[in-house]
Amino acid sequence: DDVGGGAVVVSGGDIGDSTGGAPSKLLGSVDAARRRGQLVNEESELDELAVVNTVVENRVLVVVDDKKDKGAASILSRLTSLLNDAFDSDISVDTYSPSSNIPIGGKNAQTAIIFASSLNDRSSLESLLGRILKRTAPVGGGSVGMPPSHVLIVSALGTERTNKMPYSMQNLFGGKLDKLGEIERGIGAISRSRIAGKQSPLDYTVVKFGDVASDDNKGGGDEDTIAIQPGDVLDGEIGPNAAANVLLQAMAYQPYARNATLCTTGSLPLDAELAMDTAAWNDKFLCLSGPELLRVEAGRGAGDDDEGVLDSKFEQLRQYVKQWSMNYEGDRKGTGLTTPVLVRTSRRPPSEFDGVVARSGVRILFQTTNTGDRYKSATEERKEENERSAVGGTGAKKPASANKVKPIMVKARKEGGVEVLVEKTTSGNIRIRARRCNMDSKTTVKEMSEEVIVRSLKKAVEAWVKARDVAGF
């Protein structure tokens, strides 16, 4: 269905439900598309005789300096072809250098692609977005301008590993990778700072590429070797066709790529491109949901019911994981955790979009510690002391109203956690995935606690798989 009567199209069910599975075209932010539809309706209500043109041209704005990013031209050439093949109507791709007169409001593009290497630093990004995200007033009775609602930053591998070779050498002179890292963090901060109701929603995606190869057939193979992982963990080159296809997926088809950072390497020869169906792409991007911390393949299902979800191997592994999680209930002594946790049953349903026909699991939720939200600054402590002194410090009787002060109800903060999922895929395989959960923009990632849980889970599952292999089933 069209959302907002314009260019942003969302079809299929919600991600994560049991019915969603149809590919969704997500050029621009979904929230912005809905807002566009509201504006159109408001204009229609103001003038019943007005004829409102709801057809919005599909447009992508690109900011790049070809002299600083030599591989950009080959990627963008292929991306333009892919975009026009993906959408029924033509896509206008407008390319500008950072020093050119970039239109205010981004020329009403739904998506802006910015090559981070073309910018000087984070302040350059902020100035650029301050211009292209500005809404323009209607001209000559036209509609209000709609600036880009999805910004895709093309960055480089190694921005989070500048203390490791070879990235430490790349960063040695001029701090090139440090500057790119600042730009990556800047787009996330800008997206999170948008004021609901006053500013249009803004999604972001950071895509990290290695060096761009001359072509995708360099390795001589005819199969894709594309690898996608959250964060900054991969090493290697990427072919221009592979890079263009990853950008297309992040822009138009993959909701998990929204408000996420990913790294990618590999190649995609044109002959192999046809073999990459929707399910294959969905599975490559699934690791961004959470994001994913661990994936262990447990082999084929038992095949008790190939047409349904009943599978004895799945059931056994589900019970095994549930029993494993009981180690974290109650006293956490011996678990290696320094953070208190609660263990709860996961209610995440199967999803055709995720390629999962059966799913079960647990959520290990981190809890607030005395060194977290309960910490009071020196200023807060002095304020409380002054209040106590004013009320009872002189020996005077407390006024009746002091005893009737209603406690302030504070919504509990999300402290993070690890969700462990046992899944049977549409292809009949059984796997274990661990992903972050119970997160929001204010959550502090507890990496040490995550590592303890993931390490224990991996050891337990690998032992389970090995025991079944030895037993011969």
Side-chain angles (χ1 to χ4, degrees), residues 209-273:
F209 293 144
D211 292 336
V212 180
S214 56
D215 61 69
D216 285 76
N217 297 303
K218 189 175 181 180
D222 58 357
E223 297 182 356
D224 86 274
T225 59
I226 295 177
I228 297 175
Q229 287 293 320
D232 181 27
V233 297
L234 297 176
D235 303 293
E237 293 184 332
I238 189 164
N241 188 48
N245 272 274
V246 169
L247 292 179
L248 172 68
Q249 290 292 322
M251 292 167 59
Y253 292 105
Q254 299 297 333
Y256 293 140
R258 297 308 175 91
N259 304 317
T261 296
L262 64 103
C263 56
T264 179
T265 60
S267 62
L268 181 61
L270 294 178
D271 292 341
E273 188 177 49

Side-chain angles (χ1 to χ4, degrees), residues 46 58 76 98 132 168 221 269 280 288 321 329 383-384 407 410 428 462:
L46 289 174
N58 290 334
L76 292 174
I132 67 175
S168 56
L288 302 180
V321 168
E329 292 183 335
K383 183 178 180 180
E384 287 191 2
V410 180
E462 288 178 345

Side-chain angles (χ1 to χ4, degrees), residues 123-197:
S123 62
S124 299
L125 173 71
E126 293 170 348
S127 298
L128 174 62
L129 292 182
R131 184 175 181 85
I132 67 175
L133 296 181
K134 186 176 295 184
R135 293 179 62 180
T136 55
V139 178
S143 299
V144 176
M146 296 295 292
S149 53
H150 181 207
V151 174
L152 197 154
I153 300 291
V154 178
S155 190
L157 298 177
T159 58
E160 300 173 33
R161 294 175 286 170
T162 54
N163 61 332
K164 299 179 181 179
M165 288 288 290
Y167 306 111
S168 56
M169 293 300 296
Q170 295 178 19
N171 197 50
L172 188 59
F173 300 103
K176 171 187 173 182
L177 294 179
D178 286 339
K179 292 178 181 179
L180 295 181
E182 290 177 2
I183 292 172
E184 294 171 8
R185 291 186 290 274
I187 185 60
I190 291 170
S191 173
R192 290 189 293 270
S193 67
R194 306 290 283 181
I195 302 173

